[in-house]
Amino acid sequence: MAIRDAFGLTLSGATEAGLTPYSQAVRELQCFIGDPVASVDRAIAEDPGFVMAHVFKGYLFGLATEREATEVAKACHDAALPLAATAREQAHVSALGHLANGRWHDAGGILRDIAVDYPLDAVALQTGHQIDFFTGNARMLRDRIARALPSWQGDMPGYHAILGMQAFGLEEMGDYALAERLGRAAVDLEPRDGWAQHAVAHVMEMQSRQRDGIAWMRANPEAWTKESFLKVHNWWHLALFHYDLGETDQVLALYDGPIYGERSTLALNMVDASAILWRLYLGGVDAGDRWAALAANWAKAGAGNYAFNDAHAMMAFVGAGLDAPALTLLEAQREAMRGSDDNVAFTRDVGHPLTLAIKAFGERNYAETVRLIRPIRAIAHRFGGSHAQRDVIDLTLIEAALRAGDGALARALTADRSMARPDSPLSALFSRRAADLSEN
């Protein structure tokens, strides 16, 4: 008799012995806690023919945005291909193949269709949601989950994760009130759900509710940090609130502690480290030797695999004053643009001009920074990330316009930022600087 999961979905090649660690891996990913790779490896050891275990492991590595991890994802796809599978599982194998070969949009499309037919397929929903994030597809971040949500009930395992994903999608589409309500409901159901915790933080970031954000993140950090592989990103969100308030000492303390005290070599963690240091760099804060340590790890990571990462690597190279790895990165991007995967467009449309702009800013060529960023500002979502993450592009553009002495542009940019974030102390500071510029 075929094994079925708690939602009645057939799991080909599985036994009860393999299903237990597989289900644990799914739960761990839904909260971003523990070690889902180790859990799914136990499932594969129990049941080598368990096709969804191989696929799930491939998804974990395929979403890591790192070259070596991508090779593991390809190996998982190869292992899954010959195994017995249902039509649903075969579609998952196909989606993994696309993801492992950098065809993010194709993978997301297949997972979208799986979830339409099987709205209780939590793996399809979560993997697709992450792909929507990495491709900057705000509409699908919301709609992919919204389509499935009516099929879910509050007593189903993992319901909190569905609410948390829906909350984040709503936030990225600007529906802040409902996003916060669903995000808080998800955390109430499962306090360790780091994604739901982060969805509420996003709402508060976009609404410039810095004090609310600090209170939200500091209320129960034990819950969202314990064994969490999303904790660095959530600490980064706390640092953003302090940054907007001008509390530089708090930002540096968070950087030296939970954000980058351990000097992680994972790209997702290095992105957060670069992003917060670059914000301080724009404000003229001396980060000391922090840049050098971060840049050394970025240099080991390589470039040209995912454009969003490349831009953050360039921040580190500029901050550390390292020209050679910066030039190597730009050449890797040029090579990437000769490829055939989705990163070609990520890099061509946004990543490469932004990376050049960051380098120009470091060279104090502020007019060139402005020239490069202005055309990509409205399409920056194409290379992934969230509104909060991509805000660094606007911050760089505004600072470059101010330093270039372009009073008209500076006033225009600060006016639209003040409209979007009227309660932001940083917005007010930019506006004062733009006004002072026009008077001189």
Side-chain angles (χ1 to χ4, degrees):
M1 179 181 289
I3 292 289
R4 296 180 183 272
D5 68 10
F7 301 98
L9 299 174
T10 299
L11 295 174
S12 302
T15 65
E16 290 293 345
L19 176 60
T20 298
Y22 175 80
S23 298
Q24 179 180 340
V26 173
R27 287 195 301 272
E28 287 171 331
L29 181 59
Q30 287 176 329
C31 286
F32 290 79
I33 61 173
D35 189 346
V37 173
S39 296
V40 79
D41 276 342
R42 289 196 297 275
I44 293 170
E46 289 286 350
D47 300 326
F50 187 171
V51 62
M52 281 306 298
H54 291 284
V55 169
F56 184 84
K57 180 178 179 179
Y59 286 153
L60 292 174
F61 282 91
L63 294 169
T65 70
E66 298 181 355
R67 198 175 302 278
E68 290 182 4
T70 299
E71 293 306 312
V72 177
K74 290 178 180 178
C76 292
H77 179 247
D78 290 343
L81 269 174
L83 300 178
T86 64
R88 179 186 66 88
E89 292 168 331
Q90 288 172 353
H92 270 289
V93 174
S94 179
L96 174 58
H98 285 299
L99 178 62
N101 286 282
R103 297 187 292 270
W104 292 80
H105 296 299
D106 289 340
I110 292 172
L111 289 163
R112 174 200 61 210
D113 292 343
I114 293 173
V116 166
D117 292 334
Y118 302 93
L120 297 180
D121 188 331
V123 173
L125 288 170
Q126 188 168 14
T127 306
H129 185 72
Q130 290 299 312
I131 287 173
D132 294 335
F133 168 71
F134 283 113
T135 58
N137 191 338
R139 176 72 182 265
M140 281 304 294
L141 277 168
R142 180 192 66 186
D143 292 353
R144 183 185 299 271
I145 309 303
R147 296 168 182 178
L149 189 57
S151 298
W152 285 77
Q153 302 296 323
D155 59 352
M156 290 179 172
Y159 180 63
H160 65 88
I162 306 303
L163 289 182
M165 289 187 287
Q166 186 69 86
F168 183 61
L170 288 164
E171 176 275 321
E172 287 296 287
M173 287 296 289
D175 192 342
Y176 300 130
L178 184 55
E180 182 170 355
R181 181 163 66 82
L182 294 187
R184 286 180 178 274
V187 172
D188 286 343
L189 285 172
E190 176 48 83
R192 298 187 71 190
D193 186 335
W195 193 256
Q197 176 77 25
H198 126 286
V200 176
H202 270 270
V203 170
M204 294 170 175
E205 167 67 20
M206 298 309 295
Q207 294 183 319
S208 298
R209 292 162 53 196
Q210 298 86 12
R211 295 299 179 193
D212 286 348
I214 291 169
W216 170 249
M217 299 306 289
R218 293 196 181 276
N220 188 15
E222 172 68 15
W224 55 262
T225 60
K226 185 179 179 182
E227 300 174 349
S228 172
F229 48 92
L230 193 64
K231 64 183 178 182
V232 168
H233 186 66
N234 274 331
W235 283 118
W236 176 81
H237 273 285
L238 176 58
L240 284 188
F241 295 125
H242 288 293
Y243 163 76
D244 207 342
L245 292 171
E247 296 171 351
T248 302
D249 289 347
Q250 291 277 8
V251 175
L252 288 173
L254 287 166
Y255 182 91
D256 293 336
I259 293 177
Y260 211 62
E262 296 182 3
R263 297 187 178 180
S264 170
T265 58
L266 294 176
L268 298 178
N269 293 339
M270 291 194 292
V271 162
D272 289 332
S274 287
I276 201 64
L277 283 191
W278 185 256
R279 283 165 168 79
L280 295 176
Y281 180 89
L282 294 174
V285 176
D286 182 3
D289 61 0
R290 296 176 181 87
W291 278 122
L294 178 57
N297 283 340
W298 271 120
K300 297 172 190 172
N305 190 56
Y306 180 55
F308 191 84
N309 293 351
D310 292 341
H312 288 79
M314 182 60 83
M315 293 173 191
F317 298 147
V318 169
L322 300 176
D323 200 46
L327 295 175
T328 299
L329 187 158
L330 292 172
E331 182 53 41
Q333 286 192 320
R334 295 185 189 101
E335 179 62 28
M337 287 187 284
R338 292 190 282 269
S340 58
D341 60 12
D342 288 348
N343 191 49
V344 171
F346 299 163
T347 305
R348 180 194 63 229
D349 295 350
V350 181
H352 188 57
L354 176 59
T355 303
L356 287 169
I358 291 165
K359 188 172 187 295
F361 189 98
E363 294 166 348
R364 300 183 180 182
N365 191 345
Y366 303 122
E368 177 69 357
T369 300
V370 169
R371 186 189 72 80
L372 287 163
I373 291 182
R374 288 189 74 187
I376 66 170
R377 183 171 175 243
I379 61 168
H381 63 278
R382 294 182 186 176
F383 90 142
S386 65
H387 293 306
Q389 288 177 306
R390 293 189 302 269
D391 187 46
V392 76
I393 300 173
D394 277 2
L395 294 173
T396 304
L397 175 59
I398 292 170
E399 187 61 39
L402 288 166
R403 295 191 188 192
D406 189 337
L409 180 60
R411 288 192 302 276
L413 293 172
T414 55
D416 68 39
R417 185 175 187 85
S418 294
M419 176 64 71
R421 296 169 180 257
D423 299 319
S424 163
L426 185 60
S427 295
L429 175 61
F430 279 144
S431 294
R432 289 195 299 273
R433 291 177 61 198
D436 291 343
L437 188 65
S438 63
E439 292 172 1
N440 294 333

